[in-house]
Amino acid sequence: MHGRIWLAGVAVVLTAGCAAEAEPVAVPAAEPVTVEVAAASSGGACRLLDYATIAKHTGGRFDVAAASERGDTHTCVVRAEQAVLPELTLTVTETSIDKSTFTLDVLPDGAKKVTKLGQVAYRRTLPKTAEAGPAAEVGWLATDGRLATLSWTCPRGADKAAAEAVAGKLVTLAKTVDTRRM
């Protein structure tokens, strides 16, 4: 008998809790989550770059990338979302030229030769323009029949010494670019 009374009491307690639904509890909205998208997700020559490697070798922090392809030329431009400059551009073009042709036709006058980068390479700085500060450029003939160029355009207020410093950093970044992955 005691068992039946106890069982009836449990049944009453359980059904009493189900009779009324609880009021919904308001939960505050979660903060938006920022997800960093890799430069490679833009395709093209951006597949050869990533923001962490760029920051490691140049000190520049970028978070926006755009790629373009025209014929045998693949381009990637990276910059910070909140600033137009500085801007880093990588261009890779399939080519059949050799070292001597590169030296005669591609190597700019006054450029400094770079060692241990592709078959032959150079670095140079360019003067500021009305729209941008000076620029640094590294170009090389890769061992896989590709011509590659990395260029960094400085903000308007930068001086030529800043572009020279970046040119040296671009050389180390260029050595990490594997154009065979195109």
Side-chain angles (χ1 to χ4, degrees), residues 72-96:
D72 292 337
T73 301
H74 306 271
T75 304
C76 178
V77 177
V78 295
R79 57 173 60 156
E81 181 179 359
Q82 300 301 321
V84 174
L85 296 172
E87 174 181 275
L88 177 69
T89 304
L90 170 64
T91 304
V92 179
T93 304
E94 290 185 33
T95 186
S96 60

Side-chain angles (χ1 to χ4, degrees), residues 83-143:
V84 174
L85 296 172
E87 174 181 275
L88 177 69
T89 304
L90 170 64
T91 304
V92 179
T93 304
E94 290 185 33
T95 186
S96 60
I97 66 171
D98 58 10
K99 287 172 32 175
S100 61
T101 305
F102 180 92
T103 303
L104 290 172
D105 296 339
V106 178
L107 185 69
D109 291 336
K112 298 176 184 174
K113 289 189 178 184
V114 173
T115 59
K116 299 180 183 174
L117 177 59
Q119 296 180 53
V120 60
Y122 70 88
R123 78 178 221 187
R124 69 176 178 159
T125 57
L126 301 163
K128 64 183 176 181
T129 66
E131 296 83 29
E137 180 180 273
V138 174
W140 69 99
L141 179 60
T143 57

Side-chain angles (χ1 to χ4, degrees), residues 23-90:
E23 290 292 318
V25 176
V27 178
E31 290 292 321
V33 177
T34 303
V35 177
E36 184 175 305
V37 177
S41 67
S42 295
C46 293
R47 294 184 306 233
L48 307 180
L49 296 173
D50 72 70
Y51 300 127
T53 302
I54 294 168
K56 176 183 175 185
H57 293 285
T58 68
R61 303 267 182 227
F62 299 102
D63 53 10
V64 176
S68 174
E69 295 181 25
R70 177 171 241 155
D72 292 337
T73 301
H74 306 271
T75 304
C76 178
V77 177
V78 295
R79 57 173 60 156
E81 181 179 359
Q82 300 301 321
V84 174
L85 296 172
E87 174 181 275
L88 177 69
T89 304
L90 170 64

